């Protein structure tokens, strides 16, 4: 059976060479198994046909009609070109509209003929319309599936024009099921299925493609999602027990001079309770003899840098060097300035390496690294280049870790024979279940407390038409001695998109806020590094009132006197980015404001994002919501998270309960391995293998 599913899809009846090539190119389906695991993304309730007259704005999102097409015609020119078919069913009329694939649809439409139409109803001038409906002529309709629910498969225009629309794919799955359905072999141990209330694989696959009823479909989805998540968790937990069982961590058993000197003489403020707790946790980790792997989550402005610095001092006190990597040059330089200032006259040698460091300076730093005289090295990803060699690297900090790929992170571990302790920090809070999956092998610390005296930032959503009021407010704040950021999604205008851009914006702001009374500086990715730095410094020193920038300032910029963050075309940014940008203000004790500008027309999701920003300052709440709105695949950084495969059905955001159940089951399988037969163990090993992060890892946990 396994062997049959490995066969090339071209051998399936109804496919052949040409369509096989298309399926591979468009959907990545190249074997029978790929098709079997190509699941519908939605189900049509084919048991119900609506009447046009009964459709209202309260009707379900998708509906099915049986209509006669009275006629059709093309309208508009160029990109506005559309095909409109006029349909009726005796109770009323509706318009069916297509903006693309017009030629293909036109060939298939016939005036006077009856069609089953499926799509999303909308109202335009009180007229019911359905944009890009699915269409099937009544004569051609295939037999309805038993439960009345029919799978809809996502497809592409190219495939559709080769008879492989959703319908076509459905037919292929039918053909495949005829041959392979009865021979599907179970992939999970019986005992595991029983304990977790899972239905068998064959039943699950059958119901995912041809649901018998809603309950069976739910069970099918649960079983298939569970299997994916269980496989991942098995791998993670195995990896973890592998790491913890090795006694190869550096011992930091001294809290020495540097740490104490800093703590008693240089700390500019009381540590928050959360900072103290996290430092304790790190200290606890570094005296176990195991290598530390810790994720530190803390909202923007919660004071992670200080925690990083004090941990690095611990390393230095124990005879090790430390380094800290940041994703942007701006942030790396900011860290350098902050840390040098905090250390003051202490005898700790700090250096920085970035992509723009001059050769002479770099050579000096590299030499002091290898002779051991440099204590702390800061920098960008330039740190991971091979020529950067440490005498004795014991502690690594990665700031804003979601900006780095797995490989970049991993290369820092190898800078010493024995792996250094690793602290990765992020201000983009990752919801618990996602962290459990993506960083399952990390221990997690959370700074859940902001430094005292911070006032919550006030956030407003303002339409472009109210711009003058925003300018007025900026002028007030500047008059009160404060500074303002204005952030744009684009540097220069784009024909395709109707978003504000920085060049235009800079012009209008300079007009509104003219020299010499006001000084406006610009920072964006296309500026030369020296220019960027000069402008940053002008703003930092309070010599510029307004900073016009792109989202390059999203991370790390720390100017406590700035009190207003204006974000132009805010609908264009993702939630976590908006939250990060907002975090650039409110870093001092004064009231700060975030103003989200948008056009009048907003998508539903765009609106939801802006509303969420107005409603809460809590990064964790926002990230949960972000996950729901976008699904885990889109969350920035998860692409690089290390999931080497694509989840076919589970969604790390929405299926958090299944993640928890799968994790518990995986832990149970490891703890109670004795209860499984040899055959079961082979199955478990295979599941883990299928969903493992990387093939190199060798964990013989199911032994
Ligand atoms: P993030 O967690 O976003 O990296 P930072 O480390 O940049 O935050 O800290 C934000 C600001 O809060 C900085 O200006 C820092 O000096 C200040 N800060 C950090 N810890 C404290 C504290 N315990 N009390 C008061 N201010 C603090
Ligand atoms: Mg930071």
């Amino acid at each position: 059976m396994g062997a049959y599913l490995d066969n090339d899809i071209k051998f399936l009846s109804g496919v052949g060479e040409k369509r096989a090539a298309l399926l591979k190119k468009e959907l990545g389906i190249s074997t029978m198994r790929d098709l079997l695991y190509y699941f519908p993304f939605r189900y049509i309730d084919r048991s119900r046909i609506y009447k046009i007259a009964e459709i209202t704005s309260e009707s379900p999102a998708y509906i099915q009609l049986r209509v006669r097409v009275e006629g059709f015609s093309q309208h508009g020119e160029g990109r506005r070109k559309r095909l409109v078919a006029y349909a009726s069913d005796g109770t009323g009329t509706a318009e069916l509209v297509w903006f693309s694939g017009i030629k293909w649809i036109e060939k298939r439409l016939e005036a006077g003929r009856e069609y089953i139409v499926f799509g999303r109803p909308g109202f335009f001038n009180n007229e019911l319309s359905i944009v890009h409906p699915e269409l099937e002529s009544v004569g051609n309709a295939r037999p309805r599936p038993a439960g009345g629910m029919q799978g809809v498969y996502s497809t592409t225009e190219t495939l559709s024009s080769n008879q492989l629309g959703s319908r076509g794919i459905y037919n292929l799955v039918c053909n495949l099921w005829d041959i392979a359905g009865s021979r599907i072999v179970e992939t999970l141990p019986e005992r595991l299925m029983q304990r977790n209330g899972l239905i068998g694989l064959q039943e699950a696959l059958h119901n995912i493609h041809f649901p018998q009823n809603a309950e069976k479909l739910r069970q099918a989805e649960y079983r298939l999602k569970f299997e994916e998540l269980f496989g991942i968790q098995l791998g993670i937990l195995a990896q973890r027990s592998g790491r913890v069982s090795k006694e190869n961590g550096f011992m930091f058993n001294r809290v020495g001079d540097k740490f104490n000197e800093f703590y008693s003489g240089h700390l500019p403020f009381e540590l928050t309770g959360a900072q103290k707790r996290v430092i304790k946790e790190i200290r606890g980790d570094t005296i176990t003899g195991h290598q530390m792997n810790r994720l530190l989550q803390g909202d923007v402005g919660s004071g992670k840098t200080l925690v990083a610095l004090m941990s690095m001092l611990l390393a230095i006190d124990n005879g090790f060097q430390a380094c800290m990597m940041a994703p942007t040059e701006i942030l790396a330089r900011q860290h350098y300035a902050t840390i040098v200032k905090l250390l003051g006259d202490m005898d700790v040698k700090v250096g920085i390496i970035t992509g723009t460091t001059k050769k002479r300076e770099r050579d000096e730093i590299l030499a002091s690294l290898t002779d051991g005289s440099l204590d702390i090295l800061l920098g960008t990803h330039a740190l991971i280049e091979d020529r950067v060699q440490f005498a004795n690297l014991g502690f690594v900090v990665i700031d804003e870790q979601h900006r780095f790929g797995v490989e970049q992170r991993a290369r820092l571990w190898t800078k010493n024979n024995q792996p250094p302790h690793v602290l990765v920090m992020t201000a983009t809070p990752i919801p618990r279940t996602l962290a459990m999956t993506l960083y399952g092998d990390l221990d997690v610390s959370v700074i859940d407390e902001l430094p005292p005296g911070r006032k919550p930032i006030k956030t407003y959503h303002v339409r472009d038409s109210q711009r003058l009021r925003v300018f007025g407010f900026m002028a007030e704040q500047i008059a009160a001695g404060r500074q303002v950021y204005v952030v744009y999604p684009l540097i220069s205008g784009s024909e395709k998109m109707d978003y504000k851009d920085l060049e235009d914006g800079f012009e209008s702001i300079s007009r509104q806020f003219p020299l010499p009374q006001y000084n406006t500086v610009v920072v964006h990715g296309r500026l030369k590094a020296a220019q960027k730095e000069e402008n940053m410094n002008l703003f930092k020193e309070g010599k510029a009132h307004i900073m016009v920038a792109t989202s390059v300032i999203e991370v790390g910029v720390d100017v406590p006197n700035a009190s207003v963050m204006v974000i132009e075309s805010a609908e264009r940014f993702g939630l976590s980015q908006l939250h990060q940008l907002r975090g650039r203000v409110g870093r001092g004790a004064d009231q700060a404001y975030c103003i989200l500008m948008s056009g009048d027309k907003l998508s539903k999701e765009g609106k939801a994002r802006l509303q969420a920003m107005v409603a809460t300052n809590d990064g964790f709440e926002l990230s949960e919501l972000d996950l729901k709105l976008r699904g885990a695949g889109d969350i920035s950084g998860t692409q690089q998270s290390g999931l080497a495969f694509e989840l076919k059905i589970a969604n790390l955001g929405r299926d958090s309960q299944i993640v928890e159940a799968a994790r518990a089951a995986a832990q149970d399988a490891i703890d109670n391995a004795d209860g499984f037969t040899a055959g079961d163990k082979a199955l478990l090993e295979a599941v883990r293998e299928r969903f493992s992060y990387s093939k190199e890892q060798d964990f013989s946990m199911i032994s």
Side-chain angles (χ1 to χ4, degrees), residues 676-697:
F676 290 104
T677 64
D680 285 349
K681 285 179 185 171
L683 288 179
L684 289 175
E685 191 57 30
V687 185
R688 185 185 68 69
E689 179 81 11
R690 252 182 295 139
F691 296 100
S692 71
Y693 278 61
S694 104
K695 297 273 179 260
E696 285 98 72
Q697 293 150 5

Side-chain angles (χ1 to χ4, degrees), residues 152-164:
V152 180
Y153 297 83
S154 79
T155 176
T156 66
E157 218 170 300
T158 314
L159 285 173
S160 294
S161 49
N162 283 277
Q163 287 80 56
L164 288 177

Side-chain angles (χ1 to χ4, degrees), residues 482-609:
R482 321 311 306 278
Q483 292 163 284
V484 177
Y485 296 99
V486 186
V487 173
Y488 293 84
L490 309 165
I491 298 180
S492 36
S494 134
E495 281 179 13
K496 267 194 277 165
M497 292 173 291
D498 194 17
Y499 294 121
K500 302 284 173 217
D501 67 88
L502 181 146
E503 286 172 352
D504 260 15
F506 178 64
E507 232 182 84
S508 85
I509 284 173
S510 307
R511 240 181 289 124
Q512 202 70 36
F513 296 93
L515 285 163
Q517 191 188 349
Y518 299 102
N519 188 13
T520 301
V521 291
V522 175
V523 170
H524 59 71
R526 280 194 224 145
L527 287 185
K528 291 242 157 53
Q531 182 71 58
K532 232 187 304 188
E533 201 174 335
E534 191 187 326
N535 291 354
M536 285 290 310
N537 285 337
L538 282 173
F539 194 72
K540 239 185 255 173
E541 291 157 12
K543 291 179 186 149
H545 306 98
I546 302 175
M547 175 181 284
V548 167
T550 56
S551 58
V552 290
I553 62 155
E554 170 187 340
V555 285
V557 176
D558 187 19
V559 180
N561 189 49
S563 65
V564 184
M565 166 63 67
V566 179
I567 305 175
E568 293 281 355
S569 297
E571 71 269 33
R572 170 72 199 276
F573 294 94
L575 257 184
S576 73
Q577 225 179 354
L578 289 172
H579 182 62
Q580 289 273 351
L581 285 169
R582 174 166 63 184
R584 295 311 109 215
V585 296
R587 302 174 86 80
D590 293 286
Q591 181 61 55
Y593 306 87
C594 174
I595 299 176
L596 307 167
M597 306 288 297
S598 82
D600 287 327
K601 265 191 267 154
L602 284 176
S603 71
K604 212 164 130 196
E605 278 193 14
K607 198 166 172 187
R609 285 200 297 270

Side-chain angles (χ1 to χ4, degrees), residues 269-272 275 299-305 451 454 558 587:
F269 22 59
E270 255 304 278
L271 291 176
T272 63
Q275 284 171 321
D299 214 340
V300 222
S302 61
K304 295 185 292 296
T305 318
R454 298 263 173 90
D558 187 19
R587 302 174 86 80

